[in-house]
Amino acid sequence: MPKVTLPQLPVSGLFAVMKPSGPTSMSVINDLKQLVGNSRLFVDADKLETRGKGKIPTRGKRARGIVKIGQGGTLDPLADGVLVVGIGKGTRHLNEFLDCVKEYRTTALLGCETDTYDSEGSRVRVAPWRHVTREAVESALSNFRGEIHQAPPIFSALKMEGRPLYDYARKGIPLPRPIEKRKVTIHSLDILEWKGSDHQFRWPEKEFTSDEKKAMEKALEGVEENPVIKDELEPAVGDESPTAFVLSMKVSGGTYVRSIVHDLGHAVGSAAHVVTLTRSRQGRFALEPATDSEDKGCVPWDVFSRASESEGDVGEDGWTQWEREVIDHLEIVEGPKPQKTS
C-alpha cells in the first residue's frame, strides 16, 4: 500500500462529489461535514484532540468555528452528478463554479408539463404527443442553441417585489410585471438518445385541481392576455408510454435545464418535463474527466455513505478509505497536497 507523507496540515481545498438522485445538496454537505469536521486532513490535530471526535453542528457560529464547508452550485433533489465542494479557504473559490460552463444529460418526457418542470411536481397540463417525431425535435433544437433569453419557472423561489414567484401562482395573485428573462448561452444541444415509448417513465400521478389551475391563470393575468390552462387529451392506445428522449447540452452558468425542456415541449406543439437530470461537468470537475487535460474526477457518494456508518480502519498510509479518496481527487487551495510515496 502506498504511504502518504505528512505535509503541513490541515489543508483547504476543492473536490467534487458524485451526488446521487434523492437528497438535497444541503443534506449532502451536512453529511460531509460530519466526516470533514473530524478529520485531521481539514481540522487542526490539536483542536481534534481537545474537542474529541463527535457529531458536528451544521448551523451557527460553533459550526463555522470547526470547519468551513460549502458547495459551488446547488443540484435539485431529482438531479445527480457533479457537486463541487469547498473546504476551508476553498469556499472562497466556489463562486467561480456558479458562472462556469456546465454540461448536462437530461431525459425529457412528452405530453405533460408540471409546476416544477420536472417529475417531482404536479401535473398542470397534458397535451398531444404522438405527432412529435425525432426530426421535429431536432429541428426545434436549433432555436435553443447560441445566446437565448430564458424565463425561469413561475413556480420558483425567485422573488418579485419581495414575494417568491411560487407565492403568486399558488395564491392567484397577478404578477406585477413579466418574469424577467435571463440571457444565457447554449454552447451545444443535441439528442443523445431517442427512447420513443421504450422506457418506464410515467407522468406524475398528482395533478393540479381546478382551483389551482384558476389560481395560476389569475397570476398570469398580469403578464398574459386571457391565459387559459386546460388539458388537451388524445385517445389512449393500449399501454403505450409517451415519447421520451435524452438530451446532452453544454451551457453557461445560470441556465435552467428544466426550462429548456419545458419550452421545447411547447415548440413541438406538445408539453414536456424533466424525468432525469445529470450534471456531467462543472468547470474542470467531470464525471468522465479527459485524460489529456487538467480535469478532475469525482468521489463516488457511496464512499462517504459507507464512512458515515463506519469510517473503517486507518491504513498504513495514515488515512481512512474516504480520506484517501478525497486526497486522490483534492485540489489544494492552501497547504501542500499529501504526497504518496512507495
Side-chain angles (χ1 to χ4, degrees), residues 25 28-29 44 47 54 77 85 103 147 150 196 214 221 223 225 241 245 248 268 304:
S25 294
V28 166
I29 294 299
D44 186 89
K47 287 185 178 179
V85 178
E103 295 179 14
E147 194 174 273
Q150 190 181 58
K214 287 177 182 177
E221 282 180 4
V223 295
E225 186 175 346
S241 300
F245 53 90
S248 65
V268 295
F304 301 108

Side-chain angles (χ1 to χ4, degrees), residues 139-187:
S139 177
L141 287 178
S142 62
N143 297 319
F144 292 86
R145 298 189 185 105
E147 194 174 273
I148 65 172
H149 287 81
Q150 190 181 58
I154 189 171
F155 277 88
S156 71
L158 291 176
K159 291 186 176 181
M160 183 179 292
E161 297 190 357
R163 184 191 294 269
L165 290 178
Y166 61 74
D167 216 24
Y168 290 95
R170 288 174 181 166
K171 296 180 179 178
I173 303 170
L175 291 170
R177 62 180 183 278
I179 299 172
E180 185 177 350
K181 292 188 175 183
R182 295 181 172 185
K183 185 168 70 174
V184 298
T185 302
I186 312 301
H187 300 282

Side-chain angles (χ1 to χ4, degrees), residues 230-292:
K230 65 177 182 179
D231 292 333
E232 301 173 63
L233 299 172
E234 61 182 347
V237 180
D239 295 328
E240 186 180 14
S241 300
T243 295
F245 53 90
V246 182
L247 297 172
S248 65
M249 63 188 78
K250 182 177 181 180
V251 302
S252 65
T255 301
Y256 285 94
V257 175
R258 292 173 298 159
S259 289
I260 290 177
V261 170
H262 174 87
D263 295 345
L264 180 60
H266 285 199
V268 295
S270 183
H273 66 277
V274 166
V275 290
T276 73
L277 178 59
T278 298
R279 183 156 66 195
S280 54
R281 174 178 292 275
Q282 188 174 9
R284 56 191 174 276
F285 292 94
L287 293 182
E288 299 174 357
T291 54
D292 57 347

Side-chain angles (χ1 to χ4, degrees), residues 92-104:
R92 299 178 183 178
H93 296 256
L94 290 174
N95 278 343
E96 67 182 81
F97 294 98
L98 298 177
D99 298 324
C100 72
V101 172
K102 303 175 179 71
E103 295 179 14
Y104 294 92

Side-chain angles (χ1 to χ4, degrees), residues 13-81:
L14 298 161
F15 63 92
V17 173
M18 194 183 300
K19 176 193 173 294
S21 176
T24 65
S25 294
M26 183 57 71
S27 69
V28 166
I29 294 299
N30 286 339
D31 287 346
L32 283 175
K33 192 163 193 173
Q34 301 306 314
L35 294 171
V36 168
N38 284 303
S39 171
R40 64 189 175 89
L41 184 61
F42 298 111
V43 180
D44 186 89
D46 290 339
K47 287 185 178 179
L48 280 177
E49 187 174 348
T50 301
R51 171 171 57 84
K53 288 192 174 185
K55 188 170 178 62
I56 307 297
T58 57
R59 294 181 181 179
K61 189 179 294 185
R62 184 163 168 253
R64 292 190 295 272
I66 294 173
V67 65
K68 196 171 184 181
I69 182 171
Q71 46 87 9
T74 299
L75 283 173
D76 292 334
L78 171 72
D80 58 26

